Amino acid sequence: MAESDARSILDARLASGEIGESEYDRLRARLDGTPPPPIETLPPPTKRFILVRLWNGELSLPVTYWVWGSGGGITVGLAAAGAMTFASTLPEILLIDGLILAWMIFIIGSIFASARAYGRRYPTRHWGTAAQIFAVLGFLSGLANLARALPGNESTYDLDQAIVDANKGLPRKIADNVRLDRVSRDGRAFIYSYTITGPTHVPSQSEKASVRDETVKAVCKDADTRRLLLSVAKTTYSYSNEAGKSLVSFDISSSDCN
């Protein structure tokens, strides 16, 4: 086999991740006829857990950046989005965000390690530096997205969009004599306005308390509404008769679900 063909095969094995950086150096030194590094300076064998090799920069830069960085990031993002649909308490949300942050730190560290190895092998090429720059930009963007996604950090635009979505299809009959007319907001407080249709009477204090208790149970039982309570200061439920006279109004906050 020609020497150039052997080098091409060796480069292809490195790019595919079949061999690590240290193994590539050793084989390339043997191919070029130069002495290999002293045995005490060689890293441990590459037959180790793949994440250990990744963190140590033993995988090629293209595999580290594109397969694990970009592809792994998409996979982790989709998994986190799926997990978030089941998260309804602050500890659950913080746990998921913490795992995402840990993955981001692991990946940027791995890319930097692989980029340094690439720079030692190809000192005249600058792909390693470019990978480090884009890794930092991606890390900062990810941190910003995590911060915005925390409950209570939603922007005014996000809250306004939530109101628009909540009002789609309203007014809507939700029970035999109850109609949800509209959803509005006052700052970070959401207001649900209902109308009691048909004959009504002024409810007693015990009846008002009963309505609130039943509403709290329904709200806290639903994961979506529990998550909403983490994002807003409170939700107000206002019931009126068809003449517009207020019958009962009360507030619910996240503390009611503890």
Side-chain angles (χ1 to χ4, degrees):
M1 180 184 296
E3 188 173 306
S4 59
D5 293 337
R7 289 195 181 95
S8 298
I9 293 173
L10 199 57
D11 289 341
R13 292 179 66 190
L14 174 68
S16 67
E18 181 181 348
I19 60 175
E21 306 285 356
S22 58
E23 182 70 5
Y24 175 89
D25 289 338
R26 188 180 67 80
L27 294 175
R28 183 62 184 263
R30 179 185 297 176
L31 185 64
D32 294 340
T34 57
I39 190 64
E40 62 270 17
T41 66
L42 289 175
T46 57
K47 290 183 178 180
R48 294 180 293 178
F49 185 46
I50 186 65
L51 294 183
V52 175
R53 296 179 57 201
L54 182 64
W55 177 254
N56 290 334
E58 296 175 13
L59 302 186
S60 68
L61 183 60
V63 170
T64 301
Y65 186 89
W66 292 110
V67 176
W68 288 94
S70 299
I74 292 173
T75 302
V76 170
L78 291 175
M84 278 295 186
T85 61
F86 298 98
S88 57
T89 65
L90 187 57
E92 292 172 345
I93 295 171
L94 292 179
L95 174 61
I96 295 171
D97 286 345
L99 293 175
I100 295 173
L101 180 59
W103 172 258
M104 290 167 52
I105 293 173
F106 174 79
I107 284 299
I108 192 173
S110 300
I111 291 174
F112 266 66
S114 183
R116 287 193 296 270
Y118 183 91
R120 289 192 298 269
R121 180 169 298 104
Y122 306 110
T124 61
R125 301 180 186 179
H126 304 291
W127 289 114
T129 302
Q132 290 174 324
I133 292 173
F134 281 104
V136 170
L137 293 177
F139 182 79
L140 295 177
S141 175
L143 283 181
N145 290 335
L146 284 179
R148 284 197 298 268
L150 287 175
N153 286 350
E154 292 82 357
S155 65
T156 299
Y157 171 80
D158 293 330
L159 295 177
D160 286 339
Q161 187 59 47
I163 291 296
V164 171
D165 293 340
N167 277 286
K168 290 179 179 178
L170 299 186
R172 182 176 72 251
K173 187 176 182 180
I174 62 172
D176 289 341
N177 63 335
V178 182
R179 183 181 70 232
L180 175 58
D181 294 326
R182 65 187 178 278
V183 181
S184 56
R185 76 179 183 91
D186 181 11
R188 300 191 71 84
F190 277 30
I191 304 169
Y192 293 81
S193 299
Y194 297 86
T195 294
I196 306 298
T197 59
T200 59
H201 68 281
V202 178
S204 64
Q205 290 300 319
S206 61
E207 289 175 321
K208 292 179 180 180
S210 177
V211 170
R212 186 183 187 280
D213 290 343
E214 291 300 318
T215 305
V216 168
K217 290 179 183 178
V219 167
C220 295
K221 185 178 180 181
D222 184 85
D224 291 334
T225 53
R226 286 204 311 271
R227 184 174 174 82
L228 173 64
L229 289 175
L230 294 174
S231 301
V232 300
K234 63 180 180 179
T235 55
T236 298
Y237 294 83
S238 178
Y239 294 83
S240 303
N241 61 20
E242 291 183 291
K245 182 179 179 180
S246 177
L247 299 175
V248 60
S249 181
F250 52 85
D251 298 333
I252 297 177
S253 66
S254 59
S255 61
D256 290 304
C257 295
N258 294 334

